[in-house]
């Protein structure tokens, strides 16, 4: 993790940013906290806490240190609870400074559209530029958030994977037929909004994006840059 932090720091230093330089300084803390957590209990305990949107005290302290350096971590399935947490952190950093960049670090397989678009709209409404960095993966809605970052400051790690596809939509089988038709219309609206968001961020024609999203479209780091979802792959 220290090697990744140093690589990310060099990328941001080259672009004039300061946030990932701070990430490099925190690298040793990440390792120390991770080792301490592993020594105190089984992984299942921490997984259960994560599912309840809670975190061990060590992780909470680490998140606070990242937040103090204007870094926000999105590392889970996006639902309303997680989206509210991310939005609150972004607004908090906006109140602290409307000019200094915020770094949104992403490792997520996507999630709910409405929650994701709450984060997306917040990123777009902030005065402070939001830089994005994908570590691991950015799939579905998480790929939209990666692409929504400040142009020129959307990074994807060399081994990361990015995936876009048609948004999925399920309808409860117990609903009335009239409600099903309403949900069908809403699903179409959501798909159009999803497609337009990617097309706008990537500066590609909507039809071209729709074709690319017909099936799960996985991309390596450089492919994501070529598509327009990111700007740089740090060496």
């Amino acid at each position: 993790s220290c090697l990744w932090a140093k690589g990310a720091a060099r990328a941001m230093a080259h672009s004039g940013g300061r946030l990932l330089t701070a990430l490099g300084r925190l690298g040793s803390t990440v390792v120390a906290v991770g080792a301490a957590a592993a020594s105190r209990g089984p992984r299942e305990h921490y997984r259960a806490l994560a599912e309840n949107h809670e975190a061990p005290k060590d992780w909470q302290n680490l998140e606070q240190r990242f937040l103090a350096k204007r870094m926000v971590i999105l590392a889970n399935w996006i639902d309303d609870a997680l989206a509210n947490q991310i939005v609150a952190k972004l607004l908090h950093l906006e109140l602290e400074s409307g000019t200094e960049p915020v770094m949104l670090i992403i490792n997520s397989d996507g999630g709910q559209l409405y929650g994701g678009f709450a984060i997306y709209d917040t990123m777009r409404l902030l005065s402070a530029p939001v830089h994005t960095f994908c570590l691991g993966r950015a799939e579905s809605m998480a790929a939209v958030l990666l692409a929504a970052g400040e142009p020129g400051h959307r990074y994807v790690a060399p081994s990361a994977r990015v995936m876009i596809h048609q948004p999925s939509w399920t309808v409860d089988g117990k609903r009335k037929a009239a409600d099903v038709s309403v949900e069908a219309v809403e699903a179409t609206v959501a798909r159009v909004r999803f497609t337009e968001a990617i097309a706008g961020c990537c500066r590609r024609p909507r039809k071209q994006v729709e074709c690319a999203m017909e099936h799960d479209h996985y991309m390596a780091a450089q492919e994501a840059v070529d598509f327009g979802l990111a700007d740089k792959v740090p060496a």
Side-chain angles (χ1 to χ4, degrees):
S1 59
C2 291
L3 291 177
W4 278 115
K6 291 178 180 178
R10 286 196 298 269
M12 285 299 292
H14 182 268
S15 65
R18 297 184 302 167
L19 295 175
L20 285 180
T21 302
L23 179 58
R25 292 197 298 268
L26 285 170
S28 59
T29 304
V30 175
V31 175
V33 171
S39 66
R40 283 201 300 273
R43 293 180 180 177
E44 289 74 10
H45 170 67
Y46 293 95
R47 185 180 300 114
L49 289 172
E51 289 174 353
N52 292 324
H53 300 289
E54 299 176 1
K57 186 176 180 180
D58 289 342
W59 177 246
Q60 291 175 346
N61 292 338
L62 184 58
E63 279 196 319
Q64 289 302 316
R65 293 195 64 178
F66 278 118
L67 195 61
K69 300 299 182 180
R70 300 184 67 78
M71 299 178 187
V72 178
I73 313 296
L74 197 170
N76 211 331
W77 174 262
I78 301 169
D79 59 12
D80 289 339
L82 180 61
N84 288 337
Q85 291 178 18
I86 299 297
V87 167
K89 291 176 181 178
L90 292 174
L91 294 177
H92 166 74
L93 295 175
E94 171 76 2
L95 289 175
E96 287 197 334
S97 173
T99 57
E100 292 187 45
V102 176
M103 172 60 73
L104 178 63
I105 301 174
I106 301 170
N107 182 15
S108 171
D109 57 347
Q112 297 175 359
L113 285 179
Y114 294 137
F117 274 119
I119 301 173
Y120 175 90
D121 288 338
T122 302
M123 292 171 63
R124 290 306 184 95
L125 292 172
L126 294 184
S127 299
V130 180
H131 300 180
T132 53
F133 197 115
C134 173
L135 290 170
R137 61 180 174 174
E139 300 179 0
S140 191
M141 194 66 221
V144 176
L145 299 180
L146 169 65
E150 181 74 8
H153 297 280
R154 304 173 303 169
Y155 304 90
V156 56
S159 299
R161 301 286 285 178
V162 180
M163 188 271 283
I164 58 175
H165 62 178
Q166 294 184 30
S168 59
W169 197 274
T170 58
V171 178
D172 188 346
K174 297 180 180 179
R175 294 197 175 189
K176 299 177 182 177
D179 292 334
V180 172
S181 63
V182 171
E183 290 290 341
V185 172
E186 184 63 18
T188 300
V189 171
R191 177 180 176 179
V192 170
R193 182 72 187 93
F194 189 85
T195 304
E196 289 178 343
I198 294 179
C201 292
C202 297
R203 297 182 179 180
R204 286 179 173 266
R206 178 180 156 185
K207 290 294 184 182
Q208 189 178 47
V209 173
E210 286 180 343
C211 182
M213 297 196 318
E214 191 66 27
H215 303 285
D216 290 355
H217 186 175
Y218 286 91
M219 289 170 266
Q222 188 57 51
E223 291 173 331
V225 171
D226 294 340
F227 194 87
L229 292 164
D231 299 305
K232 299 177 184 178
V233 180

